[in-house]
Amino acid sequence: MIKVALPKGRIGEKALEIFEVFLQEKLCFEDRKLILHKQHFTFMLVRNQDVPVYIQRGVADIGIVGLDVLEEQQSPLVRLLDLKFGKCKVVLGSPNEYLLDFSKPNLKIATKMENITKAFFAKKALSVEIIKLYGSIELAPLVGMADAIVDLVETGNTMRQNNLKIDEVIMEVSAYLVANPNSFYAQKIKILKIRDFFKNMILTKE
Ligand code: PRP
């Protein structure tokens, strides 16, 4: 039995499509159900940020999660494969008309990614004030609550429409296939078979 944690949304749907080809069977969560048993698999539908929790606690053996989440949570999971989809970037951004001045004391940075932000500014030997938010990060500099943001950019539309520019790209992000280290040890052959299948599916799409 392999238990799989999938993130809700497009990335989870894409991963499920690959599992459908792998199992040669239609996979669909009924209505509002969050668990699906098929053949020797159990699929669980969870919030993107919660995927590492399920895997670390061993209730899921493998899962799909964004690199941003892995880096933010410093999750000790086995990174099996870069899936090359769900691509986006973690960026530092600020208002178009604003020349971001790193010498300004206590620059205020709004973000939902506190650890990535801390590590980024620590590397620059700068101390900043981090304002932790849970969403709509782009609003913070518009209303004068922050000087800049560290946030995810996919199409760039949200930043553009809110008159923000990218000052620096901090990290290129994509979805990863990951495993619990104990599960990987105990079910190595099965898990590597899944990894190789995903790898081939991705290569044929490239
Ligand atoms: C994410 C991210 C940006 C937006 C970027 O937010 O935090 O706000 O998507 O996408 P874009 O570059 O394609 O415009 P999400 O939609 O997850 O909502 P949130 O504000 O609740 O974080």
Side-chain angles (χ1 to χ4, degrees):
M1 173 64 71
I2 300 261
K3 291 159 283 168
V4 187
L6 295 173
K8 285 182 175 174
R10 266 178 303 157
I11 293 175
E13 284 163 18
K14 213 158 178 181
L16 206 57
E17 280 170 20
I18 299 179
F19 277 109
E20 280 185 345
V21 186
F22 183 75
L23 294 177
Q24 299 196 318
E25 192 172 352
K26 182 96 190 117
L27 299 173
C28 186
F29 284 87
E30 264 174 57
D31 198 21
R32 304 292 290 174
K33 283 206 176 165
L34 301 171
I35 196 154
L36 169 68
H37 302 285
K38 267 284 148 79
Q39 299 178 29
H40 54 293
F41 278 85
T42 295
F43 297 96
M44 305 165 209
L45 211 49
V46 309
R47 271 290 293 269
N48 188 31
Q49 292 92 331
D50 295 336
V51 169
V53 182
Y54 285 84
I55 303 178
Q56 263 166 257
R57 291 186 166 265
V59 291
D61 302 300
I62 60 173
I64 313 286
V65 66
L67 182 64
D68 54 322
V69 174
L70 291 175
E71 291 292 323
E72 177 63 21
Q73 299 184 8
Q74 290 294 307
S75 315
L77 304 177
V78 184
R79 295 181 188 186
L80 296 167
L81 183 67
D82 177 355
L83 298 172
K84 311 266 174 76
F85 57 74
K87 283 191 180 175
C88 56
K89 293 181 172 82
V90 176
V91 306
L92 173 70
S94 62
N96 282 333
E97 69 284 354
Y98 187 86
L99 186 65
L100 193 58
D101 177 10
F102 287 115
S103 66
K104 185 182 169 192
N106 287 321
L107 217 50
K108 291 197 191 93
I109 312 291
T111 188
K112 51 186 165 190
M113 293 172 280
E114 275 179 296
N115 295 328
I116 290 174
T117 305
K118 269 185 207 154
F120 172 74
F121 284 101
K123 258 192 216 155
K124 291 188 183 292
L126 291 171
S127 98
V128 294
E129 184 187 335
I130 294 174
I131 303 172
K132 162 86 180 171
L133 296 175
Y134 293 89
S136 298
I137 316 297
E138 294 85 354
L139 179 65
L142 302 186
V143 293
M145 189 164 77
D147 297 293
I149 61 169
V150 168
D151 198 15
L152 286 170
V153 167
E154 192 187 346
T155 60
N157 286 339
T158 312
M159 282 189 72
R160 237 183 335 265
Q161 287 181 28
N162 289 290
N163 302 316
L164 300 171
K165 63 176 181 329
I166 294 175
D167 295 293
E168 228 170 291
V169 174
I170 299 176
M171 188 190 298
E172 302 277 349
V173 173
S174 52
Y176 273 66
L177 178 66
V178 293
N180 172 294
N182 296 328
S183 302
F184 185 55
Y185 183 73
Q187 307 205 68
K188 201 166 189 171
I189 294 170
K190 277 189 203 159
I191 291 176
L192 284 179
K193 202 173 151 197
I194 297 165
R195 197 272 313 261
D196 291 344
F197 189 83
F198 268 76
K199 202 172 178 177
N200 286 332
M201 287 291 283
I202 290 157
L203 282 177
T204 54
K205 276 181 184 164
E206 264 180 353

